[in-house]
Amino acid sequence: MNRTANIYTTLIRTHHITSRKKLARVKKAAASYNLQVLIRSGGAPGIMYAEGSDEAAVGSWVNFVQNLRYKDFNCVRKPAANQIRGGGPIKVGAFEEVTSVAEFGERMEQSGLGGWWRIGMGYEVSN
């Protein structure tokens, strides 16, 4: 079944994500804000995608992550409403990690956010 839902999403790019201690704090914050999070970790670039039903919660999570002082932190897609196919690239209530940009991109494509992700990452130019 292919359902479409409005949900608040954000995309963060950093130089890298390698610290397990910081990731544990990111995961704990995601759970406290009731967000689903997908992380590309293990090297450069570091990518974080979050989604949730509350715009304020997504924004608060972004602020929390920024305060962790990741190198070259850049919120390339500010929290905003988006339409997601089939419930998004992450299971409800999940915190998932992938190790490749290709796998991260594939997950974005599957949820209907491929263009949104490519523009945010600078791989495509917005019209």
Side-chain angles (χ1 to χ4, degrees):
M1 184 166 135
N2 217 10
R3 66 180 177 83
T4 302
N6 272 325
I7 201 148
Y8 293 94
T9 61
T10 191
L11 184 67
I12 296 170
R13 184 179 60 228
T14 68
H15 182 272
H16 65 277
I17 298 175
T18 55
S19 169
R20 300 311 300 174
K21 284 184 179 182
K22 282 186 183 180
L23 270 180
R25 293 183 69 195
V26 168
K27 181 178 183 175
K28 187 174 180 179
S32 72
Y33 290 118
N34 199 29
L35 303 178
Q36 287 75 244
V37 176
L38 177 64
I39 304 273
R40 189 280 176 179
S41 62
I47 309 169
M48 298 184 202
Y49 164 85
E51 64 183 40
S53 58
D54 180 19
E55 183 177 18
V58 176
S60 294
W61 179 83
V62 169
N63 290 335
F64 177 85
V65 172
Q66 184 174 18
N67 288 333
L68 292 175
R69 300 176 52 113
Y70 276 99
K71 183 178 180 180
D72 298 336
F73 174 92
N74 189 3
C75 185
V76 295
R77 289 294 198 167
K78 309 294 185 230
N82 248 318
Q83 282 197 342
I84 310 261
R85 270 198 320 256
I90 315 152
K91 297 177 193 116
V92 174
F95 182 93
E96 298 180 22
E97 286 184 63
V98 297
T99 56
S100 74
V101 175
E103 185 179 353
F104 195 99
E106 186 177 306
R107 299 280 287 276
M108 294 290 109
E109 291 290 342
Q110 291 169 353
S111 64
L113 293 172
W116 175 87
W117 176 76
R118 286 189 304 276
I119 291 168
M121 291 298 292
Y123 301 147
E124 260 182 30
V125 179
S126 177
N127 290 339

